[in-house]
């Protein structure tokens, strides 16, 4: 499935609520003219909370909410009544969302579970009323505390798609075609580079009851890790993939050279990406005769498990799904 209006990055100014003030108050009744202190505490300020929601696939619904402020807590009342807490603000986000500091250096939260709430900014505590300060030697306290200030910060939300398998390759290598053939996804396909401008997800059925989620990423070119082409915008999604499938077209002059380029770009972005299990898939193999196929094998790098496929004729697709499944579910 393609993801319409895909938004995977938003920056928001968030502020939790201020705590309500405690009050100074003394009990007064007809037959109790000098009652003790009964000033109540202020209520807590509202929290800012992120909640995982598997129904969302993008951050589009938050794109235009630049400023989000939680309500303040209410002032305490007489009779030791605590003020009402400020209402929490709950922001639903897709699974795989990461909350970061404004500069992007510090990861604050990772949202991985559906319906689970994650506290992002805590509301300020309510201040104590004067009832809190009564002691045997200080029976008429005339002191109360104001509520604590809430927290304010610019927060970056980044979505990293949760997919089992990520397709990595140069533009126009056949990633979208493969996804369209082995899943129900309908990505945009054309015979020119950078047809895929947004990630596409597809659920691939395997054998009788198995399945896995595959993500087709926009093509990577040399210099992508420094911002060329579509740059690093979509490389972050690869960080969530359990298995990486490197795809190289059969008609390129040197398979090893093309594979090395993809490795360099991923390493420059995040060296840990190459610690993931990976496969090398040679696409469009139907375009080569037996002699050309034999010549092709000489340029394949080793050691890496290599498979030959044609999405057009469906050659090798069963073997590819078997290899992916085994990589996702290693024995021992």
């Amino acid at each position: 499935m393609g993801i319409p209006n895909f938004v995977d990055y938003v920056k928001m100014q968030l502020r939790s609520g201020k705590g309500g003030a405690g009050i100074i108050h003394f009990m007064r009744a007809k037959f109790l003219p000098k009652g003790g202190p009964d000033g109540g505490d202020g209520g807590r300020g509202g929290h800012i909370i992120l909640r995982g929601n598997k129904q969302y696939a993008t951050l589009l619904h938050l794109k235009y909410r630049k400023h989000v402020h939680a309500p303040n807590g209410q002032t305490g009342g007489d009779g030791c009544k605590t003020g009402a807490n400020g209402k929490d603000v709950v922001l639903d986000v897709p699974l795989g969302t990461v909350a970061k500091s404004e500069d992007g250096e510090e990861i604050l939260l990772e949202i991985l579970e559906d319906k689970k709430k994650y506290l992002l900014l805590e509301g300020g505590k309510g201040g104590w009323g004067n009832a809190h300060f009564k002691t045997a030697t200080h029976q008429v306290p005339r002191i109360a505390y104001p509520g604590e200030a809430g927290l304010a910060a610019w927060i970056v939300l980044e979505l990293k798609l949760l997919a089992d398998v990520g397709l990595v390759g140069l533009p126009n290598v056949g990633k979208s075609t493969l996804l369209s053939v082995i899943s129900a996804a309908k990505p945009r396909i054309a015979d020119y580079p950078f047809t895929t401008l947004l990630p596409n997800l597809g659920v691939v059925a395997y054998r009788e009851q198995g399945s896995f989620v595959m993500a087709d990423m926009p093509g990577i070119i040399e210099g992508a890790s420094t911002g060329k082409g579509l740059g690093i915008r979509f490389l972050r999604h690869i960080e969530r993939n359990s298995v990486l499938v490197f795809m190289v077209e059969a008609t390129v002059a040197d398979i090893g050279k093309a594979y090395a380029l993809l490795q360099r770009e991923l390493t420059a972005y995040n060296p840990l990406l190459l610690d993931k299990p990976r496969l090398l898939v040679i696409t469009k193999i139907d375009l080569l005769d037996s002699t050309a196929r034999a010549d092709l094998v000489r340029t394949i790098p080793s050691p890496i498990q290599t498979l030959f496929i044609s999405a057009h004729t469906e050659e090798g697709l069963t073997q590819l799904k078997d290899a992916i499944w085994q990589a996702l579910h290693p024995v021992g």
Side-chain angles (χ1 to χ4, degrees):
M1 59 178 176
I3 304 178
N5 297 316
F6 184 78
V7 175
D8 62 354
Y9 178 98
V10 295
K11 186 175 182 180
M12 309 173 72
Q13 199 276 337
L14 305 178
R15 187 179 70 197
S16 60
K18 179 187 178 194
I23 69 165
I24 300 173
H25 191 273
F26 295 92
M27 187 185 303
R28 293 291 183 266
K30 184 174 182 180
F31 300 106
L32 194 62
K34 294 184 179 180
D38 68 345
D41 300 339
R44 166 184 63 76
H47 297 323
I48 301 289
I49 293 172
L50 300 183
R51 178 172 60 194
N53 188 331
K54 66 180 181 181
Q55 302 301 319
Y56 284 98
T58 172
L59 294 170
L60 176 65
H61 61 294
L62 298 177
K63 182 177 180 181
Y64 300 106
R65 293 189 66 180
K66 292 300 183 184
H67 302 277
V68 176
H69 298 164
N72 298 331
Q74 298 298 304
T75 301
D78 58 11
C80 297
K81 297 185 183 73
T82 300
N85 292 335
K87 185 177 180 180
D88 297 335
V89 173
V90 180
L91 302 175
D92 283 318
V93 295
L95 304 187
T97 299
V98 177
K100 294 183 177 182
S101 57
E102 182 179 6
D103 58 9
E105 296 296 322
E106 181 182 2
I107 295 178
L108 306 174
L109 291 174
E110 293 187 69
I111 313 303
L112 300 175
E113 297 183 39
D114 186 42
K115 298 181 181 179
K116 182 176 179 180
K117 293 181 178 181
Y118 299 76
L119 178 59
L120 181 58
L121 295 182
E122 186 175 4
K125 295 180 180 178
W128 284 354
N130 67 335
H132 244 104
F133 299 94
K134 180 182 177 181
T135 67
T137 58
H138 191 199
Q139 297 191 15
V140 190
R142 297 183 180 278
I143 182 174
Y145 285 172
E148 292 183 358
L151 301 175
W154 281 93
I155 300 294
V156 170
L157 298 179
E158 287 184 356
L159 173 61
K160 299 179 181 180
L161 294 177
L162 294 176
D164 300 306
V165 183
L167 302 181
V168 181
L170 298 170
N172 210 32
V173 75
K175 302 184 299 299
S176 298
T177 302
L178 172 63
L179 186 67
S180 70
V181 170
I182 65 175
S183 78
K186 301 299 179 185
R188 183 181 180 186
I189 300 172
D191 58 355
Y192 53 84
F194 291 117
T195 307
T196 302
L197 301 177
L198 302 171
N200 294 293
L201 292 180
V203 178
V204 180
Y206 179 73
R207 302 293 180 178
E208 289 78 15
Q209 296 180 332
S211 66
F212 53 85
V213 178
M214 178 176 284
D216 160 29
M217 302 297 172
I220 295 174
I221 65 172
E222 188 168 8
S225 59
T226 60
K228 292 184 179 179
L230 294 177
I232 64 174
R233 179 180 173 191
F234 297 112
L235 287 179
R236 74 169 71 99
H237 298 294
I238 300 173
E239 294 177 310
R240 293 287 191 198
N241 303 149
S242 299
V243 174
L244 299 182
V245 174
F246 288 78
M247 299 179 65
V248 178
E249 191 174 342
T251 56
V252 302
D254 190 322
I255 298 292
K257 185 176 180 181
Y259 174 60
L261 186 155
L262 296 172
Q263 282 188 303
R264 284 197 306 273
E265 293 304 322
L266 265 62
T267 301
Y269 175 72
N270 183 350
L272 297 179
L273 289 177
L274 293 187
D275 290 338
K276 296 177 181 289
R278 57 189 187 272
L279 305 171
L280 175 59
V281 172
I282 312 303
T283 67
K284 305 181 183 180
I285 197 66
D286 56 297
L287 299 178
L288 302 183
D289 58 24
S290 57
T291 301
R293 291 190 186 195
D295 293 337
L296 178 71
V297 172
R298 301 189 185 97
T299 70
I300 293 175
S302 59
I304 182 173
Q305 184 177 359
T306 304
L307 299 102
F308 301 86
I309 70 166
S310 167
H312 178 65
T313 65
E314 300 191 8
E315 177 184 350
L317 297 189
T318 299
Q319 292 84 347
L320 173 60
K321 289 194 283 187
D322 285 340
I324 291 174
W325 188 261
Q326 291 166 12
L328 290 171
H329 305 89
V331 178

